[in-house]
Structure formats: C-alpha cells, structure tokens
Amino acid sequence: MTGAGLARLTHKSAVDDLHEAIMRDGAVIIEGLFDEGTIEGLKADIGPVLEHSHNGSGFGGNRTRRASGLFRYSKHMVTVAQNPLYRGVCDKILNAPVDIQFGGDSTPIPSSMHIGATQAVMIGPGQAAQPLHRDDLVFLWRHPNEREATIQIMVAATDFTAETGGTNVIPGSHLWDDNRVPTREEAIPTEMKAGSALIFIGSAYHGGGENSTEDEFRMGVSMSYDLGILRAQENPFLLYNLETIRSFPEQLQKDLDWHSEHYLGWVEVEGELLNPIELLADESWVSIDDGLPKHAPKRTASHAF
C-alpha cells in the first residue's frame, strides 16, 4: 500500500497545493524536495554524530539513535529550514493573522512562528514501531482545535521503506477528537526516496515504523516550526553560543528566537524594550555576564513589536 491515502507532490508544486493536501489528509509526501548535494552533506555532517550517540530507550526506541541542535553540525540544515515549500506552507498555516481589538480598532496581527525542534533519527535493524502519537501533545493541545500548533518535516536521508521503518501516518487523523484511539492497522508507512520529505501537522497521528531488516539503517532529518507564542521544544539559547548565532542568516536568527514579536521576547535596556536582534548587531555586546549595552541602540524598523 505504497503511499495510499497521502498525496505525492513534487518540488515544483505550489504552496497552495501543498496546503490543500495537508489540510485534507494531515500529511503529504514531496518527492525530490532536496538535491543530492544537500542530502549527502547532511549525511556527512550529521552521520558521525549519530554514530557516536547511544541508543535510546522507551518511546525513543532502544535501537534508535538521535541527535538534536542540528544547526550546530550542518550548514545544510539552513537549506531545510528555508525551503520555500516547507516554510511557505508553515507560514500559511501557523502565521495566519488573528484579529485583535486594540484601542477600539480591530487589527489583524500575524501569529508568528519559530523553530521548535531539530532532530536526526537513525532507526536500526530490529527496532519495533514507535507508539502512534501527535506531535502537539507537548503543548497539551486539544482536538478539534481551530488552529495547528506545529508543522514537522521529515527529510529522507536514506530511502524510506516499510521494511526499514518509514514513518507510519494515519491519513485524516488530524480531524479526530481526543477520544478517538489510533490503531496500528489504520497507519500506512511512508515510502520515499532519499531527498524526498514527509510534511505533517501536529494533530496527525504518526510514529516511527518497525525496522524489520537485518542490516539496513533508516536515517531521517527533521525539524518543526511551531506557533511563536508557544515555548520552543529545544532551547536555542543553550544549544548555540553567541558566535554561532551571529554566523547564521538573519532569518534563522529570528526563527531561533533572537527576535521579539507581540511583546514577547524583548530585552530592557535603560527603559527601552529592545528587539534581541539588535543586540546581535551590536558587536560590543558579548554575553549577559558582561552586561547589556551601556546605551540603548537607536530605534530601527526591527524594534517594532
């Protein structure tokens, strides 16, 4: 039942087509989303990290190795995060404006989004299937809900097959309430070539598949965008030092919460509520231990909340 129930689009598809498929089925497969150079680069950079990691336990899988904070290890993660199709559909779903009454006027305010977590997963031979779950469980999200909390991408670094543990997904499960119990029989395995990707919303039931092979490993590289008003799943302020953050493109800096929107995430300096992105631009600022800049930087467009 290869790909039954899930649409299979290509890297040339429009964001609107991707959005339609996801909102209908809860997930979609994008074939050939990343080129060979990106995939080989991810494997070369992150593969050695996984090789030196320990197998997990319980929910994480006792024959599965994981690594997080992936922007530390590979510049190719920027390519994943800024992919126009993935980022475009996240922006369409997560960043939909909310009407706010402010001073007697109804003002549409974009919701904002940020990077929630990054993770590479190596499923080894003999690994049992992961329990089916929803990724928005970390936020104690209730269903049905008028909005999504998180959108995940799983990039195939090696071919995904039913035998190697391709991610199990239940199409349409994002429409279920919280009393509906998922069953293994309803799930289908994600089967796709290296370079393709599975994109799914946090309300869709899924889980890593069983690796029934004797000697094949399945490697996937994943990340999520979450609603900006929710706490990030991994802590970027401890994962990345200041030098590393400053080396990233500005959009990635903002996505890793060095940015303030809706009066969330600001830093006070001499009575001014500053956008943290301005601290990164101030080379005199080294760390919080050395104190904030003696004078608040001049207001710029990025200062607006």
Side-chain angles (χ1 to χ4, degrees), residues 27-91:
V28 65
I29 295 170
I30 310 294
E31 296 179 328
L33 187 57
F34 298 100
D35 61 27
E36 183 179 358
T38 298
I39 297 304
E40 291 304 314
L42 287 169
K43 290 166 64 177
D45 294 340
I46 302 175
V49 180
L50 289 171
E51 289 177 5
H52 289 88
S53 299
H54 297 291
N55 286 326
S57 61
F59 183 76
N62 61 1
R63 296 189 180 183
T64 297
R65 297 184 178 189
R66 299 173 184 270
S68 298
L70 301 185
F71 295 105
R72 293 177 295 178
Y73 304 123
S74 181
K75 64 181 182 181
H76 298 286
M77 280 303 300
V78 179
T79 302
V80 176
Q82 297 186 350
N83 175 265
L85 262 185
Y86 174 50
R87 188 177 176 85
V89 78
C90 289
D91 184 67

Side-chain angles (χ1 to χ4, degrees), residues 122-183:
M122 182 81 81
I123 295 181
Q127 173 63 61
Q130 189 181 44
L132 295 168
H133 61 282
R134 286 165 156 160
D135 275 353
D136 58 17
L137 63 84
V138 298
F139 305 116
L140 303 182
W141 219 240
R142 300 291 84 194
H143 310 87
N145 200 303
E146 64 180 13
R147 68 185 313 161
E148 290 295 325
T150 178
I151 304 178
Q152 184 95 357
I153 187 171
M154 173 63 77
V155 180
T158 59
D159 292 350
F160 276 36
T161 68
E163 292 74 29
T164 59
T167 307
N168 290 319
V169 181
I170 302 181
S173 59
H174 64 302
L175 303 175
W176 297 355
D177 64 25
D178 291 313
N179 297 316
R180 176 79 150 79
V181 179
T183 64

